[in-house]
Amino acid sequence: MSTEVTDATFEETVLKSDKPVLVDFWAPWCGPCRMVSPIVDQIAEENTEKLNVVKVNTDENLETASKYGITSIPALYVFKDGEVAKTIIGARPKPALEDELSDFI
Amino acid sequence: MTDTQLVIIGSGPAGYTAAVYAARANLSPVVIAGSVTAGGELMNTTDVENYPGFPAGVQGPELMESMREQAEKFGAEVIYDDVATLKLEPGAHQIETALGARYTAQAVILATGSAYRELNLPNEKKLSGHGVSWCATCDGFFFRNQHIAVVGGGDSALEEATFLTRFASKVTLIHRRQELRASQAMQDRAAADEKLEYLLDSEVTEIHGEDSLSGLTVRNTVSGETSELPVTGLFVAIGSDPRTSLFGDQLSLRSDGYLNVEGRTSKTAIEGVFAAGDVIDSVYRQAITAAGSGCSAALDAEHYLADLDAVTKQAEAVAAAEASQAPAPIAS
């Protein structure tokens, strides 16, 4: 399972990570987020050695969401060495997501 | 490879209603619901106030969950995967999913719905997710106290616009004509909304912004004059197009792109292939009309399968009768 990250833990868990981190920005009221969430979990389980996967609830962590200019969710951001290395906006089927994430998994 | 009687592609009101009817008729339908689009367009709406049976209204996602539950209760199997290839061959239609599952089906119901139309302007894709959006209920929250534009003049445009006034400082509705297509009830509600203003006879000609949306150029369709609208959010609600890419080369489409069916039935040009919902409906496009259309498709499929079954049984009976009349083989 992927962990929930907050404004308070984002820097430590995501920006200072040795491994690339896939951040799933979501909110409870977002239908497509609920659809893509189990797919993100699967990708997390299948790539534990290469990629950390975390979730940020944008309702509760506005600071992080606004810092990265999130205006559409689900938004999947890959952070590498503290920088945004890839952004994927909107829910996608698993093969399409794996394709987009091919540099990291 | 799984052999089935009926595969339903799509899981909006048309797909799930077809599944309820087909499952109750013991056809054990397999619904390929989509991996991230299951439940269809209503998953991105909030209050549905015109679906009969819910005097207090119902949340779109809740309604779709209930339909799924009802279909599963009677034995429909719902698969959260996407159809990758579809070969329509009477008797044994072939379906392969993105995750590699394969099915054959004696009958297929196509309920693939429609996809949001885009403005087709430069920057629209680049700024999608950075100010440009197609889903007010998903993204409205991020535009608190900001000025938002909504493009479109139908029910969904007005619904999005009134929904967005909960968050925005101001919402400008841009529509290329003077008259709105939206229902009177929707227009009355919008008229009472103080945060909503209209820019009619107008169309968006340019979308501005580098990393995020900074404004629009809007042209008056009557005078030809252009003006700048400094919005940070743009919601596009200019309708949708039928989703036919899976089968557009195998079935005949109408000149407007919708899938052709025979008269008031759900029958397509290929035997055992039926269609329902927004993919065949360019006129009404409501949850309830899609549901009704799904019901028709299930009944048409049911009759087709019953006839097929009768023909098969008759052929078997003839073969059995012939076998019994044939002289016994002579032992050598």
Side-chain angles (χ1 to χ4, degrees):
Chain A
M1 277 304 291
S2 40
T3 35
E4 284 285 340
V5 165
T6 65
D7 283 345
T9 59
F10 191 84
E11 183 170 354
E12 192 59 39
T13 319
V14 177
L15 301 181
K16 292 188 173 164
S17 167
D18 296 333
K19 267 193 277 181
V21 185
L22 173 65
V23 182
D24 175 4
F25 290 96
W26 71 285
W29 38 262
C30 159
C33 297
R34 281 201 297 269
M35 301 302 300
V36 84
S37 176
I39 297 176
V40 170
D41 287 344
Q42 280 176 26
I43 291 176
E45 277 165 29
E46 289 162 13
N47 299 280
T48 45
E49 283 175 13
K50 293 179 188 157
L51 192 68
N52 290 343
V53 179
V54 302
K55 302 199 177 195
V56 173
N57 179 332
T58 55
D59 268 4
E60 291 164 3
N61 300 285
L62 263 179
E63 195 185 306
T64 306
S66 76
K67 183 176 173 194
Y68 292 100
I70 305 292
T71 64
S72 279
I73 51 173
L76 302 172
Y77 279 41
V78 179
F79 288 81
K80 200 178 167 192
D81 305 322
E83 303 280 333
V84 176
K86 175 90 191 169
T87 64
I88 304 167
I89 310 287
R92 314 274 166 90
K94 192 181 180 199
L97 272 187
E98 286 175 332
D99 206 38
E100 295 239 31
L101 293 170
S102 57
D103 289 347
F104 308 99
I105 59 178
Chain B
M1 178 78 78
T2 310
D3 293 325
T4 66
Q5 292 187 85
L6 175 65
V7 164
I8 298 167
I9 303 174
S11 58
Y16 278 151
T17 304
V20 168
Y21 272 77
R24 284 194 77 234
N26 288 327
L27 299 178
S28 314
V30 172
V31 181
I32 304 183
S35 61
V36 293
T37 52
E41 215 169 296
L42 282 188
M43 295 301 284
N44 294 337
T45 62
T46 52
D47 293 327
V48 178
E49 294 179 331
N50 52 10
Y51 200 88
F54 298 91
V58 58
Q59 295 291 306
E62 206 179 298
L63 178 61
M64 296 323 297
E65 279 293 289
S66 305
M67 286 193 198
R68 179 188 55 76
E69 233 181 272
Q70 196 172 350
E72 286 184 329
K73 179 179 138 189
F74 293 114
E77 190 185 349
V78 179
I79 310 283
Y80 297 96
D81 196 353
D82 306 282
V83 176
T85 57
L86 176 65
K87 276 192 202 138
L88 299 173
E89 288 163 6
H93 306 291
Q94 314 274 325
I95 296 126
E96 186 166 357
T97 70
L99 298 181
R102 289 161 68 200
Y103 300 88
T104 65
Q106 291 178 302
V108 173
I109 294 175
L110 304 169
T112 48
S114 52
Y116 298 122
R117 203 172 281 165
E118 298 179 1
L119 290 167
N120 285 321
L121 289 173
N123 277 347
E124 184 178 9
K125 278 225 163 58
K126 184 180 92 175
L127 294 177
S128 162
H130 304 286
V132 179
S133 170
W134 282 263
C135 178
T137 55
C138 303
D139 304 336
F141 178 82
F142 298 106
F143 295 89
R144 266 184 298 191
N145 302 318
Q146 298 179 37
H147 183 186
I148 305 176
V150 174
V151 187
D155 271 333
S156 8
L158 255 67
E159 196 187 326
E160 301 236 314
T162 49
F163 177 80
L164 288 167
T165 57
R166 296 187 200 176
F167 308 101
S169 57
K170 184 159 77 171
V171 174
T172 304
L173 186 91
I174 304 170
H175 181 51
R176 61 192 162 143
R177 283 189 254 281
Q178 187 61 231
E179 297 79 31
L180 300 170
R181 270 182 295 111
S183 63
Q184 199 54 48
M186 226 32 247
Q187 292 200 37
D188 291 347
R189 182 174 312 169
D193 199 319
E194 286 172 1
K195 283 189 188 171
L196 185 59
E197 60 172 38
Y198 298 88
L199 210 50
L200 300 173
D201 283 331
S202 298
E203 60 184 9
V204 178
T205 53
E206 282 175 55
I207 297 173
H208 306 290
E210 269 310 308
D211 301 323
S212 64
L213 179 70
S214 58
L216 307 171
T217 301
V218 179
R219 191 177 73 96
N220 186 295
T221 53
V222 178
S223 68
E225 278 171 33
T226 60
S227 56
E228 299 298 314
L229 194 66
V231 294
T232 46
L234 170 66
F235 287 77
V236 183
I238 53 171
S240 46
D241 291 312
R243 234 190 289 253
T244 55
S245 57
L246 268 180
F247 45 79
D249 53 347
Q250 302 171 71
L251 288 167
S252 74
L253 303 181
R254 301 189 334 220
S255 58
D256 57 7
Y258 286 80
L259 178 57
N260 234 337
V261 287
E262 189 188 310
R264 286 175 54 84
T265 75
S266 66
K267 293 176 190 164
T268 71
I270 296 180
E271 196 184 303
V273 180
F274 306 90
D278 279 6
V279 74
I280 59 168
D281 180 6
S282 60
V283 181
Y284 304 108
R285 315 175 57 79
Q286 302 298 303
I288 186 68
T289 53
S293 157
C295 163
S296 308
L299 294 177
D300 286 344
E302 191 187 334
H303 291 148
Y304 169 76
L305 289 168
D307 288 348
L308 203 65
D309 196 36
V311 170
T312 314
K313 282 206 176 111
Q314 201 178 5
E316 278 169 6
V318 169
E322 277 172 1
S324 67
Q325 278 164 16
I330 299 159
S332 57

Short mmCIF file of all heavy atoms in Angstrom, two decimals, chain B residues 86-110:
data_model
loop_
_atom_site.label_atom_id
_atom_site.label_comp_id
_atom_site.label_asym_id
_atom_site.label_seq_id
_atom_site.Cartn_x
_atom_site.Cartn_y
_atom_site.Cartn_z
N LEU B 86 -11.75 -5.29 -30.85
CA LEU B 86 -13.09 -5.87 -30.99
C LEU B 86 -13.22 -6.34 -32.42
O LEU B 86 -13.06 -5.54 -33.36
CB LEU B 86 -14.11 -4.77 -30.67
CG LEU B 86 -15.58 -5.09 -30.83
CD1 LEU B 86 -15.99 -6.15 -29.82
CD2 LEU B 86 -16.41 -3.82 -30.59
N LYS B 87 -13.45 -7.65 -32.60
CA LYS B 87 -13.70 -8.16 -33.96
C LYS B 87 -15.11 -8.67 -34.00
O LYS B 87 -15.46 -9.65 -33.32
CB LYS B 87 -12.72 -9.31 -34.27
CG LYS B 87 -11.39 -8.82 -34.76
CD LYS B 87 -10.57 -9.96 -35.34
CE LYS B 87 -9.10 -9.60 -35.34
NZ LYS B 87 -8.26 -10.71 -34.91
N LEU B 88 -15.94 -8.01 -34.79
CA LEU B 88 -17.35 -8.37 -34.84
C LEU B 88 -17.56 -9.45 -35.90
O LEU B 88 -17.50 -9.18 -37.10
CB LEU B 88 -18.19 -7.12 -35.11
CG LEU B 88 -18.04 -6.04 -34.03
CD1 LEU B 88 -18.76 -4.76 -34.42
CD2 LEU B 88 -18.55 -6.55 -32.69
N GLU B 89 -17.74 -10.69 -35.42
CA GLU B 89 -17.96 -11.82 -36.32
C GLU B 89 -19.17 -12.58 -35.85
O GLU B 89 -19.16 -13.18 -34.77
CB GLU B 89 -16.72 -12.74 -36.31
CG GLU B 89 -15.54 -12.12 -37.02
CD GLU B 89 -14.23 -12.81 -36.67
OE1 GLU B 89 -14.25 -13.83 -35.96
OE2 GLU B 89 -13.18 -12.29 -37.09
N PRO B 90 -20.27 -12.52 -36.64
CA PRO B 90 -21.53 -13.14 -36.22
C PRO B 90 -21.32 -14.55 -35.68
O PRO B 90 -20.61 -15.36 -36.27
CB PRO B 90 -22.35 -13.16 -37.51
CG PRO B 90 -21.84 -11.98 -38.27
CD PRO B 90 -20.38 -11.90 -37.96
N GLY B 91 -21.93 -14.81 -34.51
CA GLY B 91 -21.80 -16.13 -33.90
C GLY B 91 -20.76 -16.13 -32.79
O GLY B 91 -21.00 -16.66 -31.72
N ALA B 92 -19.61 -15.52 -33.07
CA ALA B 92 -18.54 -15.48 -32.05
C ALA B 92 -17.74 -14.19 -32.18
O ALA B 92 -16.67 -14.16 -32.77
CB ALA B 92 -17.64 -16.69 -32.21
N HIS B 93 -18.31 -13.12 -31.63
CA HIS B 93 -17.60 -11.84 -31.64
C HIS B 93 -16.41 -11.95 -30.69
O HIS B 93 -16.51 -12.54 -29.62
CB HIS B 93 -18.55 -10.72 -31.21
CG HIS B 93 -19.81 -10.68 -32.01
ND1 HIS B 93 -19.84 -10.31 -33.33
CD2 HIS B 93 -21.09 -11.01 -31.70
CE1 HIS B 93 -21.07 -10.39 -33.79
NE2 HIS B 93 -21.85 -10.82 -32.82
N GLN B 94 -15.28 -11.39 -31.10
CA GLN B 94 -14.05 -11.52 -30.32
C GLN B 94 -13.71 -10.21 -29.63
O GLN B 94 -13.66 -9.17 -30.26
CB GLN B 94 -12.87 -11.86 -31.25
CG GLN B 94 -13.14 -12.92 -32.28
CD GLN B 94 -12.90 -14.31 -31.72
OE1 GLN B 94 -12.00 -14.48 -30.90
NE2 GLN B 94 -13.71 -15.26 -32.12
N ILE B 95 -13.44 -10.32 -28.33
CA ILE B 95 -13.13 -9.12 -27.56
C ILE B 95 -11.83 -9.36 -26.80
O ILE B 95 -11.68 -10.39 -26.13
CB ILE B 95 -14.26 -8.83 -26.54
CG1 ILE B 95 -15.56 -8.51 -27.29
CG2 ILE B 95 -13.90 -7.67 -25.62
CD1 ILE B 95 -16.70 -9.37 -26.88
N GLU B 96 -10.89 -8.44 -26.91
CA GLU B 96 -9.66 -8.55 -26.12
C GLU B 96 -9.47 -7.26 -25.34
O GLU B 96 -9.63 -6.17 -25.87
CB GLU B 96 -8.45 -8.83 -27.02
CG GLU B 96 -7.22 -9.08 -26.20
CD GLU B 96 -6.05 -9.70 -26.98
OE1 GLU B 96 -6.23 -9.99 -28.18
OE2 GLU B 96 -4.98 -9.86 -26.38
N THR B 97 -9.12 -7.40 -24.05
CA THR B 97 -9.00 -6.21 -23.21
C THR B 97 -7.55 -5.74 -23.15
O THR B 97 -6.63 -6.45 -23.53
CB THR B 97 -9.47 -6.50 -21.77
OG1 THR B 97 -8.52 -7.36 -21.16
CG2 THR B 97 -10.85 -7.13 -21.75
N ALA B 98 -7.39 -4.54 -22.60
CA ALA B 98 -6.06 -3.94 -22.47
C ALA B 98 -5.16 -4.79 -21.58
O ALA B 98 -3.95 -4.85 -21.78
CB ALA B 98 -6.18 -2.53 -21.91
N LEU B 99 -5.74 -5.48 -20.59
CA LEU B 99 -4.94 -6.31 -19.69
C LEU B 99 -4.80 -7.73 -20.22
O LEU B 99 -4.28 -8.62 -19.53
CB LEU B 99 -5.54 -6.32 -18.29
CG LEU B 99 -5.59 -4.96 -17.57
CD1 LEU B 99 -6.18 -5.10 -16.18
CD2 LEU B 99 -4.20 -4.33 -17.48
N GLY B 100 -5.33 -7.99 -21.43
CA GLY B 100 -5.08 -9.27 -22.08
C GLY B 100 -6.15 -10.35 -21.90
O GLY B 100 -5.95 -11.47 -22.33
N ALA B 101 -7.27 -10.01 -21.26
CA ALA B 101 -8.35 -11.01 -21.14
C ALA B 101 -9.07 -11.13 -22.49
O ALA B 101 -9.21 -10.15 -23.20
CB ALA B 101 -9.34 -10.58 -20.06
N ARG B 102 -9.46 -12.37 -22.83
CA ARG B 102 -10.14 -12.56 -24.11
C ARG B 102 -11.49 -13.22 -23.92
O ARG B 102 -11.65 -14.13 -23.13
CB ARG B 102 -9.26 -13.41 -25.03
CG ARG B 102 -8.03 -12.62 -25.50
CD ARG B 102 -6.94 -13.51 -26.01
NE ARG B 102 -7.32 -14.16 -27.25
CZ ARG B 102 -6.73 -15.26 -27.71
NH1 ARG B 102 -5.78 -15.82 -27.03
NH2 ARG B 102 -7.12 -15.78 -28.85
N TYR B 103 -12.45 -12.70 -24.66
CA TYR B 103 -13.82 -13.22 -24.59
C TYR B 103 -14.34 -13.47 -25.99
O TYR B 103 -13.99 -12.75 -26.92
CB TYR B 103 -14.76 -12.20 -23.93
CG TYR B 103 -14.39 -11.83 -22.52
CD1 TYR B 103 -13.51 -10.78 -22.28
CD2 TYR B 103 -14.92 -12.52 -21.44
CE1 TYR B 103 -13.14 -10.44 -20.99
CE2 TYR B 103 -14.56 -12.19 -20.14
CZ TYR B 103 -13.68 -11.15 -19.93
OH TYR B 103 -13.33 -10.82 -18.64
N THR B 104 -15.20 -14.50 -26.12
CA THR B 104 -16.03 -14.55 -27.31
C THR B 104 -17.46 -14.33 -26.82
O THR B 104 -17.79 -14.69 -25.69
CB THR B 104 -15.98 -15.91 -28.04
OG1 THR B 104 -16.55 -16.90 -27.18
CG2 THR B 104 -14.56 -16.28 -28.40
N ALA B 105 -18.27 -13.73 -27.67
CA ALA B 105 -19.64 -13.45 -27.27
C ALA B 105 -20.58 -13.72 -28.44
O ALA B 105 -20.27 -13.36 -29.57
CB ALA B 105 -19.77 -12.00 -26.83
N GLN B 106 -21.71 -14.38 -28.14
CA GLN B 106 -22.72 -14.58 -29.18
C GLN B 106 -23.39 -13.25 -29.52
O GLN B 106 -23.77 -13.03 -30.65
CB GLN B 106 -23.76 -15.59 -28.69
CG GLN B 106 -23.19 -17.01 -28.59
CD GLN B 106 -24.24 -17.97 -28.06
OE1 GLN B 106 -24.78 -17.79 -26.97
NE2 GLN B 106 -24.55 -18.98 -28.85
N ALA B 107 -23.53 -12.41 -28.51
CA ALA B 107 -24.10 -11.08 -28.75
C ALA B 107 -23.28 -10.03 -28.01
O ALA B 107 -22.67 -10.32 -26.98
CB ALA B 107 -25.55 -11.03 -28.27
N VAL B 108 -23.25 -8.82 -28.57
CA VAL B 108 -22.51 -7.72 -27.96
C VAL B 108 -23.43 -6.51 -27.90
O VAL B 108 -24.18 -6.25 -28.84
CB VAL B 108 -21.26 -7.36 -28.81
CG1 VAL B 108 -20.57 -6.12 -28.29
CG2 VAL B 108 -20.27 -8.52 -28.85
N ILE B 109 -23.39 -5.79 -26.79
CA ILE B 109 -24.09 -4.50 -26.72
C ILE B 109 -23.03 -3.40 -26.59
O ILE B 109 -22.21 -3.42 -25.65
CB ILE B 109 -25.08 -4.44 -25.54
CG1 ILE B 109 -26.23 -5.44 -25.78
CG2 ILE B 109 -25.63 -3.01 -25.37
CD1 ILE B 109 -27.21 -5.54 -24.63
N LEU B 110 -23.03 -2.49 -27.53
CA LEU B 110 -22.08 -1.38 -27.52
C LEU B 110 -22.73 -0.20 -26.80
O LEU B 110 -23.74 0.33 -27.26
CB LEU B 110 -21.72 -0.99 -28.95
CG LEU B 110 -21.17 -2.12 -29.84
CD1 LEU B 110 -21.10 -1.68 -31.29
CD2 LEU B 110 -19.81 -2.56 -29.33
#
